[in-house]
């Protein structure tokens, strides 16, 4: 049972699911919305749809993962394909059913991004930058989804969605640097393959710069703006440090290190957004 649970956590990429669910909560909190039941349901929608997407991605990437990530559950045989697909269906139905309990718009957006996730894994991953944009949009939508479940549409969640989109695009480009061997053999046209690792790392750095610039825009909306500024500066400095370091050394192993650090920093940014939102409305 422990082995099965470990592999399920692995195939759904648990940290990504938590990030999505937490992003929904933050989007709602930034709208000064605190209905705990709705927030919990919103978290589950983000979590389940993301988990479904990760399984579908592994299903369509199985041949690529034989080269890039032979430890993945489907490639290693630790989870068989039928079981994985059955789990994906359960997660998808659960996410959509919960979204329908919230409001019609939340169901429509959840369904849309479930479709986008499927299309990305099935077709558009191999298109390079377009695929990167689709993944980045799935990182951005949780903030907007928080606005949708609260039925408030203030500017901050949309600004933070922009931050997540550009930071997410940067990370996806970097992932292309780390996965170049398998991607090349399977015809995935990442920026690394079409333009080389050096240029890809420069693009990743530029997208991260845009994300950092956008991260300063919410300052005018937070009551304790100096708290937000201090905390987000720490995140931004390390985002720039890691992506610029990859420009100087666009190596595949370095890219793996950088993309993992960026994921941790993105989680840190979520905490900063949450704390700043609560401080702004609670005092």
């Amino acid at each position: 049972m422990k082995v099965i649970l470990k592999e399920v956590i692995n195939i759904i990429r648990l940290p990504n699911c938590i990030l999505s669910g937490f992003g929904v909560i933050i989007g709602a909190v930034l709208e000064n919305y605190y209905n705990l039941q709705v927030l919990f349901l919103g978290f589950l929608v983000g979590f389940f749809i993301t988990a479904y997407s990760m399984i579908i991605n592994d299903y369509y990437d199985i041949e690529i993962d034989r080269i890039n990530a032979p430890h993945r559950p489907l490639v290693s045989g630790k989870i068989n394909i039928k079981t994985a697909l059955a789990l994906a269906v359960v997660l998808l139905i659960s996410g959509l059913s919960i979204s329908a309990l919230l409001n019609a718009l939340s169901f429509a957006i959840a369904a849309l991004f479930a479709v986008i996730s499927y299309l990305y894994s099935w077709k558009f991953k191999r298109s390079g930058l377009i695929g990167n944009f689709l993944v980045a949009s799935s990182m951005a939508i949780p903030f907007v989804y928080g606005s949708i479940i609260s039925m408030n549409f203030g500017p901050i969640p949309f600004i933070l969605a922009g931050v997540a989109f550009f930071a997410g695009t940067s990370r996806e480009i970097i992932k292309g640097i780390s996965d170049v061997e398998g991607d090349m053999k399977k015809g995935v046209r990442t920026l690394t393959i079409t333009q080389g690792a050096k240029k890809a790392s420069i693009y990743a750095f530029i997208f991260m710069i845009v994300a950092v610039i956008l991260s300063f825009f919410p300052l005018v909306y937070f009551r304790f703006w100096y708290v937000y500024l201090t905390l987000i500066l720490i995140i931004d400095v390390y985002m720039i440090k890691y992506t610029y370091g990859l420009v100087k050394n666009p190596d595949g192993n370095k890219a793996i290190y950088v993309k993992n650090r960026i994921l941790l920093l993105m989680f840190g940014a979520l905490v900063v957004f949450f704390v700043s939102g609560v401080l702004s409305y609670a005092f």
Side-chain angles (χ1 to χ4, degrees), residues 23-41:
V24 175
I25 292 177
I26 291 170
V29 167
L30 291 172
E31 298 285 12
N32 196 23
Y33 185 82
Y34 296 98
N35 184 315
L36 295 182
Q37 180 180 0
V38 173
L39 291 179
F40 178 65
L41 293 177

Side-chain angles (χ1 to χ4, degrees), residues 11-251:
I11 198 171
I12 68 171
R13 294 176 175 83
L14 183 62
N16 298 66
C17 298
I18 294 173
L19 279 171
S20 293
F22 193 29
V24 175
I25 292 177
I26 291 170
V29 167
L30 291 172
E31 298 285 12
N32 196 23
Y33 185 82
Y34 296 98
N35 184 315
L36 295 182
Q37 180 180 0
V38 173
L39 291 179
F40 178 65
L41 293 177
F43 175 89
L44 290 180
V45 173
F47 188 101
F48 288 151
I49 296 298
T50 300
Y52 148 81
S53 302
M54 294 301 159
I55 296 174
I56 293 301
N57 185 68
D58 270 21
Y59 171 72
Y60 279 105
D61 273 4
I62 192 166
E63 294 302 322
I64 295 174
D65 285 344
R66 292 190 196 281
I67 301 167
N68 290 336
H71 61 280
R72 296 295 301 162
L74 292 184
V75 176
S76 63
K78 293 175 181 176
I79 295 181
N80 66 58
I81 293 176
K82 288 184 177 180
T83 299
L85 292 178
L87 178 58
V89 170
V90 170
L91 289 166
L92 176 61
I93 292 173
S94 299
L96 292 179
S97 298
I98 294 171
S99 71
L101 296 175
L102 297 171
N103 58 60
L105 184 57
S106 73
F107 173 79
I109 297 298
L112 173 63
F113 272 83
V115 171
I116 288 174
S117 296
Y118 182 86
L119 291 176
Y120 164 77
S121 297
W122 171 55
K123 188 77 173 178
F124 289 103
K125 176 173 181 173
R126 288 162 175 75
S127 64
L129 193 57
I130 294 176
N132 297 154
F133 287 154
L134 289 177
V135 174
S137 67
S138 70
M139 297 179 185
I141 195 60
F143 298 105
V144 177
Y145 200 79
S147 289
I148 290 169
I149 67 172
S150 68
M151 293 307 290
N152 296 310
F153 301 96
I156 306 179
F158 291 88
I159 295 172
L160 297 185
V163 175
F165 176 82
F166 286 102
T169 300
S170 176
R171 185 176 183 273
E172 284 301 304
I173 293 172
I174 291 169
K175 188 174 181 294
I177 298 174
S178 68
D179 293 346
V180 63
E181 183 181 355
D183 289 346
M184 185 176 294
K185 288 184 178 180
K186 296 302 175 183
V188 181
R189 295 179 56 78
T190 63
L191 284 174
T192 303
I193 290 172
T194 59
Q195 300 192 35
K198 182 69 174 181
K199 284 190 176 181
S201 67
I202 293 172
Y203 279 114
F205 181 64
I206 291 171
F207 277 109
M208 189 59 74
I209 288 290
V210 176
V212 167
I213 291 172
L214 286 176
S215 73
F216 294 113
F217 282 34
L219 278 174
V220 296
Y221 298 103
F222 289 132
R223 182 177 179 185
F224 295 91
W225 61 268
Y226 45 86
V227 175
Y228 173 79
L229 179 60
T230 301
L231 295 175
I232 204 65
L233 271 175
I234 296 172
I235 301 293
D236 287 345
V237 166
Y238 279 98
M239 286 288 200
I240 296 300
K241 175 186 175 182
Y242 287 130
T243 50
Y244 182 67
L246 191 61
V247 172
K248 294 193 295 183
N249 179 26
D251 173 74

